[in-house]
Amino acid sequence: MLHLLRQVVEEVNSTRDLQASLRTVVGRIRAGMNVQVCSVFLWDAHVNRYVLMATDGLSADAIGKVTLTQNEGLIALVGKREEPLNLSDATRHPNYHHVPGLGEEPFKSLLAVPIIHHRKVLGVMTIQRTEPGRFGDSEEAFMVTLSAQLAGVIAHAEATGALSGLNLMGGEQLDVRFAGVAGSQGVAIGKAHVLVPPSDLNSVRYRPARDIAAELALFENALTKVRSELTATRERLRSELRPEELALFNVYVGILEDRALGDAVVELIKKGEWAQSALATVMRRYIDHFESIEDDYLRERAADMRDLGRRVLSHLQASVPDVAIPDHAILVGEEISPTVFGDLAAGRIAAIVCTTGSANSHVAILARALAIPTIMGVQELPWQGLQGEELVVDGYRGHVYYRLSAEKRQYFESICKEEAEREADLESLTDVASETSDGVAISLMVNTGLQTDVVRSQNKGADGVGLFRTEVPFMMRDRFPSEDEQAKIYRAQLEAFAPLPVTMRMLDVGGDKSLDYFPIVEDNPFLGWRGIRVMLDHPELFMVQIRAMLRASLNLNNLKVMLPMVTSVSEVEEALAIIHRAVLELNEEGVAVNLPEVGVMVEVPSAVYLVKEFATQIDFISVGSNDLTQYLLAVDRNNPRVANIYDSLHPAVLKALKMVIDAANEGGIPVSLCGELAGDPLGAVTLVGLGYRHLSMSSSNLLRVKSVLRQIDSGWAHTIASGLLHLDDPKVVRSTLRLALRKAGIPLTDLGILPS
Ligand code: PEP
Ligand code: MG
């Protein structure tokens, strides 16, 4: 059974034609399960019907023709109930619906299971026998397992198929939409620029060849190049390698010269596939074959094949034109690596679409700072086929559109225009005081990381920097920056804002922030070696960084230092010892720097309970609501599958925020909040209501937040926030806040808040 399961999933996974592969699948299941019929119906949202996509056992003429509404027959019943139906005699069921021409008459017993992906019913799969009698428990369990596995691959194949512009029944389809998680607000229309990850056979996807002759030539050329590279390396290393190692090169060259492999790839290209996926399919076949061999030596050859495949692939990918990112491109990829941060900062990128990650991934945070519309976690997006295609990114709702209709285009163009007008209106608030309508001052600071953030922040009239993420400049390099290099970067920030304070956070790597030159590979990176933990284990890194910060602050005295990911008081003590030592060392060297204010980030649940203890050791507290939410709710901030349950307005988070401010007030220590919650107008109102008076956010949100705070009364906000603490659901919290703002006459759309 497991073998059948694997075969079926692989078949659909590697498909270029969903219908063709479902036909193979139903045949396999029919034979494997020893039944007379196996069929698959899929839901086609464009025609609002279930469509018979494949059958082995019923009338082949009915495929693509027989359709059922949401209320018709047993298929609809299974779709509605979202559970299997196991019937001894289907014809006796009250919902049985006879479809003429389907050829179901001889079959009595029926097992129908829903195909569900992310809570959405994609279709129904059935098996039937002529003899009456319920299917056995193990058969039912197997079909449920199979449909759960199949659901993901069908969803993906449907998404890929959607690019062809046809719906399941072959009708034309416009406004093809892929849903992800809203990462950064705004709308952009532009051409996709696909970021291809470094040659990885598993990430290559099927794409039709635009020009078969050209693909064939590319492939032959790549083979020739790899062959001559291998021969050259062999000659270069001839005197250094043992004969058996040299022989390996001969084996590689031999594999490339053996036409069996080349011919298999050529055959697939001739059938209309582009060279990259043709190569990947054939190489995977070889690798699977070697991996299944008992003999240890031969099994190891799988690794050789993988290496060889990667070499050829890298030449194919190098030949893909247009590697430079064109202006106004929409970046599309599985991951957005720090190598493109420079392009982002230069303001040349219209939008970002990422198939992984979520709203609080660091790529999204960076994009928000730069006001680049961004969508994260668009898991089903067939990104490989999108190079050069026109897309629309709706960063408010988290949707990417393809093949736009004229009406939709007009709609999005009008949103772009409204956005520009709103931004222009907000500009008038730059120099007015940041205070509530009853005159309570709220200091609004910015979060920075890139050098360009400085200019953007100053334009918005910020009260200083509440969080400088020092890891960002570290991520853009290929080695740790030296003390001098760091000092220069820090000096630029401190000078730009002086005399306003700049809060620099000690390096916070780990989690989803990795440095290529300092890889941390862990099963649970967010619970692993991250932030202060790394820095205390590497006092030499800590020392270089704090020395650079202190030197940069000379004669400016606006530096504040902040420690990330603190879980215990002992970590604070250890860090303070290093900071004191650095000041002493520098003073001894004749650099007259003072001890800066030192603060702790409260972003781990344990820290919420330790605020009073911290207060005796340090000068300020800053709440990191992004991580605090992730750790309190046990929801990975980076995982699109659980993005819908990640919400910093969750009542549990609000209760923790209340505890922190109460403890800080009792301990007599100032407290600010620098997570994304501060930049969300609903979040800012809540925080002010809870008593927070210092908020730090992306510069792009600062004026929107100022605008809403100037319209509210602090007493009113306190009453609202106190009420929120008694609610039990983050969605209710949000709608309560919206309602309260609306009743207070504050227009939500002016704040960029769309109706839910
Ligand atoms: C936070 O966790 O809220 C925070 C501000 O830090 P980062 O997002 O960089 O982890
Ligand atoms: Mg954090």
Side-chain angles (χ1 to χ4, degrees):
M1 282 301 190
L2 255 185
H3 181 65
L4 175 60
L5 189 78
R6 216 175 128 205
Q7 262 187 337
V8 165
V9 171
E10 267 175 17
E11 175 69 42
V12 181
N13 227 347
S14 63
T15 191
R16 77 201 64 161
D17 175 349
L18 181 59
Q19 192 156 28
S21 77
L22 286 180
R23 248 176 268 146
T24 317
V25 164
V26 289
R28 289 236 164 93
I29 298 176
R30 196 187 86 129
M33 304 242 358
N34 198 19
V35 291
Q36 279 87 44
V37 178
C38 176
S39 315
V40 173
F41 289 81
L42 293 184
W43 178 252
D44 188 334
H46 299 91
V47 291
N48 269 336
R49 297 180 88 89
Y50 287 100
V51 182
L52 176 66
M53 293 296 289
T55 180
D56 191 340
L58 300 182
S59 162
D61 289 343
I63 294 173
K65 292 197 193 97
V66 165
T67 65
L68 296 160
T69 68
Q70 225 164 358
N71 301 311
E72 254 171 353
L74 297 170
I75 298 297
L77 185 66
V78 170
K80 204 172 275 172
R81 286 196 186 159
E82 303 186 349
E83 60 184 27
L85 193 62
N86 189 346
L87 299 175
S88 170
D89 185 348
T91 57
R92 301 171 79 113
H93 192 283
N95 283 54
Y96 178 76
H97 170 77
H98 179 252
V99 181
L102 186 56
E104 262 192 315
E105 295 76 8
F107 308 107
K108 292 279 184 280
S109 72
L110 170 99
L111 171 62
V113 291
I115 306 170
I116 300 179
H117 182 62
H118 288 315
R119 301 189 181 194
K120 196 170 137 215
V121 176
L122 301 182
V124 176
M125 183 160 61
T126 61
I127 50 176
Q128 291 172 274
R129 286 194 180 117
T130 35
E131 291 301 307
R134 279 167 56 87
F135 283 85
D137 280 355
S138 63
E139 288 171 312
E140 186 174 325
F142 177 75
M143 287 297 281
V144 169
T145 313
L146 187 60
S147 99
Q149 291 260 331
L150 219 48
V153 279
I154 288 180
H156 185 78
E158 276 190 4
T160 312
L163 284 192
S164 67
L166 299 177
N167 60 29
L168 291 177
M169 297 182 70
E172 203 196 359
Q173 189 182 340
L174 289 176
D175 299 330
V176 180
R177 193 183 82 183
F178 299 99
V181 182
S184 170
Q185 293 196 341
V187 165
I189 305 178
K191 293 227 162 99
H193 178 83
V194 175
L195 296 169
V196 185
S199 313
D200 171 7
L201 290 170
N202 287 328
S203 67
V204 174
R205 293 277 186 283
Y206 170 80
R207 187 164 115 179
R210 290 220 166 104
D211 176 348
I212 291 181
E215 292 295 319
L216 285 171
L218 280 178
F219 175 61
E220 290 302 337
N221 182 33
L223 277 189
T224 314
K225 282 209 173 119
V226 175
R227 222 180 284 137
S228 55
E229 266 172 21
L230 287 171
T231 328
T233 317
R234 181 184 60 195
E235 291 317 308
R236 192 158 37 82
L237 299 178
R238 188 171 281 285
S239 58
E240 290 164 42
L241 292 183
R242 285 175 298 162
E244 60 273 27
E245 286 166 335
L246 274 177
L248 197 57
F249 282 95
N250 296 337
V251 173
Y252 273 24
V253 176
I255 295 174
L256 289 179
E257 278 169 357
D258 172 15
R259 279 316 305 181
L261 187 145
D263 285 351
V265 178
V266 167
E267 198 185 315
L268 288 182
I269 298 177
K270 283 188 176 157
K271 279 189 189 156
E273 193 163 337
W274 73 325
Q276 291 191 27
S277 62
L279 171 78
T281 307
V282 172
M283 292 314 287
R284 276 199 295 260
R285 227 182 272 155
Y286 272 79
I287 293 164
D288 280 354
H289 172 68
F290 279 115
E291 276 178 344
S292 66
I293 295 175
E294 291 285 329
D295 180 278
D296 282 347
Y297 173 79
L298 285 174
R299 207 170 42 243
E300 296 239 321
R301 302 286 65 80
D304 297 338
M305 294 307 289
R306 204 171 288 122
D307 182 43
L308 203 55
R310 234 184 262 141
R311 284 168 192 263
V312 180
L313 184 63
S314 71
H315 282 285
L316 289 175
Q317 293 182 334
S319 63
V320 174
D322 260 345
V323 270
I325 304 176
D327 276 0
H328 207 72
I330 294 182
L331 290 189
V332 180
E334 283 186 307
E335 275 175 11
I336 306 296
S337 76
T339 52
V340 300
F341 285 6
D343 292 283
L344 297 180
R348 302 197 305 108
I349 306 299
I352 298 174
V353 179
C354 202
T355 60
T356 57
S358 189
N360 284 294
S361 303
H362 284 86
V363 171
I365 290 178
L366 195 72
R368 278 202 287 280
L370 297 165
I372 300 176
T374 295
I375 306 178
M376 304 293 294
V378 200
Q379 289 165 295
E380 304 305 340
L381 186 77
W383 54 273
Q384 293 90 341
L386 290 176
Q387 179 66 21
E389 301 291 347
E390 191 188 62
L391 300 180
V392 174
V393 169
D394 177 353
Y396 292 103
R397 294 185 174 83
H399 293 156
V400 188
Y401 287 88
Y402 173 71
R403 291 174 58 83
L404 215 58
S405 63
E407 305 93 83
K408 267 267 176 323
R409 173 184 297 278
Q410 212 178 8
Y411 168 72
F412 283 120
E413 281 170 353
S414 70
I415 290 201
C416 286
K417 208 165 136 244
E418 277 167 28
E419 255 174 23
E421 285 165 7
R422 197 164 52 225
E423 283 303 309
D425 286 350
L426 286 175
E427 294 295 315
S428 63
L429 292 180
T430 310
D431 296 320
V432 302
S434 166
E435 56 186 20
T436 55
S437 60
D438 54 328
V440 175
I442 313 289
S443 88
L444 299 184
M445 295 171 292
V446 281
N447 296 346
T448 58
L450 294 165
Q451 196 51 36
T452 42
D453 289 341
V454 174
V455 185
R456 298 176 63 89
S457 318
Q458 286 173 324
N459 287 343
K460 310 280 185 212
D463 296 323
V465 176
L467 165 65
F468 172 34
R469 289 186 168 92
T470 59
E471 55 279 0
V472 176
F474 277 67
M475 288 162 86
M476 294 169 71
R477 287 185 159 64
D478 54 8
R479 58 170 174 76
F480 283 113
S482 67
E483 186 178 314
D484 280 349
E485 285 169 328
Q486 288 187 47
K488 238 194 215 148
I489 300 168
Y490 304 151
R491 181 81 187 174
Q493 290 265 335
L494 292 164
E495 263 178 354
F497 287 93
L500 297 171
V502 174
T503 314
M504 298 205 175
R505 180 171 70 184
M506 298 302 295
L507 192 66
D508 180 19
V509 288
D512 71 335
K513 288 179 284 197
S514 61
L515 303 175
D516 287 345
Y517 50 88
F518 189 65
I520 302 172
V521 182
E522 293 174 321
D523 283 344
N524 283 309
F526 278 114
L527 297 184
W529 207 40
R530 194 189 156 189
I532 194 80
R533 303 171 184 178
V534 177
M535 292 302 265
L536 290 178
D537 287 348
H538 277 281
E540 77 288 10
L541 295 181
F542 196 133
M543 194 48 133
V544 167
Q545 190 177 29
I546 187 70
R547 278 179 58 98
M549 287 177 181
L550 291 167
R551 281 176 48 203
S553 73
L554 191 66
N555 300 329
L556 293 174
N557 297 322
N558 60 339
L559 168 70
K560 289 171 135 193
V561 174
M562 188 152 78
L563 309 172
M565 272 297 284
V566 170
T567 19
S568 309
V569 175
S570 63
E571 290 165 334
V572 180
E573 288 165 348
E574 280 183 67
L576 283 173
I578 303 179
I579 297 172
H580 278 104
R581 214 172 70 221
V583 173
L584 274 180
E585 254 181 47
L586 284 166
N587 287 347
E588 277 166 21
E589 289 167 26
V591 189
V593 291
N594 303 321
L595 189 65
E597 280 189 22
V598 179
V600 161
M601 286 199 72
V602 172
E603 52 182 349
V604 173
S606 67
V608 172
Y609 300 95
L610 293 173
V611 170
K612 273 214 210 138
E613 284 77 358
F614 293 147
T616 62
Q617 309 254 356
I618 40 118
D619 307 297
F620 66 93
I621 293 281
S622 186
V623 182
S625 55
N626 305 339
D627 278 314
L628 188 58
T629 304
Q630 140 163 288
Y631 294 123
L632 266 182
L633 304 183
V635 178
D636 182 346
R637 64 193 268 182
N638 217 17
N639 183 346
R641 277 204 192 131
V642 287
N644 59 333
I645 50 173
Y646 178 104
D647 195 335
S648 296
L649 285 173
H650 190 292
V653 180
L654 299 184
K655 286 192 168 125
L657 293 173
K658 172 89 170 61
M659 273 184 75
V660 172
I661 187 128
D662 288 349
N665 288 342
E666 274 178 47
I669 188 168
V671 57
S672 62
L673 187 137
C674 62
E676 295 301 300
L677 184 63
D680 170 356
L682 298 183
V685 169
T686 309
L687 288 166
V688 168
L690 290 173
Y692 286 78
R693 297 292 177 259
H694 304 274
L695 306 178
S696 189
M697 63 202 70
S698 297
S699 59
S700 50
N701 288 333
L702 195 137
L703 294 178
R704 288 196 308 149
V705 167
K706 194 193 265 190
S707 162
V708 69
L709 295 184
R710 285 176 58 83
Q711 298 178 66
I712 62 162
D713 175 271
S714 65
W716 173 87
H718 177 72
T719 311
I720 301 287
S722 309
L724 298 179
L725 289 170
H726 302 291
L727 298 176
D728 55 9
D729 183 273
K731 289 195 185 66
V732 181
V733 170
R734 282 189 184 276
S735 45
T736 306
L737 277 163
R738 282 164 193 262
L739 192 66
L741 285 171
R742 210 172 288 134
K743 275 194 187 157
I746 301 169
L748 301 183
T749 42
D750 285 3
L751 304 170
I753 302 174
L754 292 188
S756 53

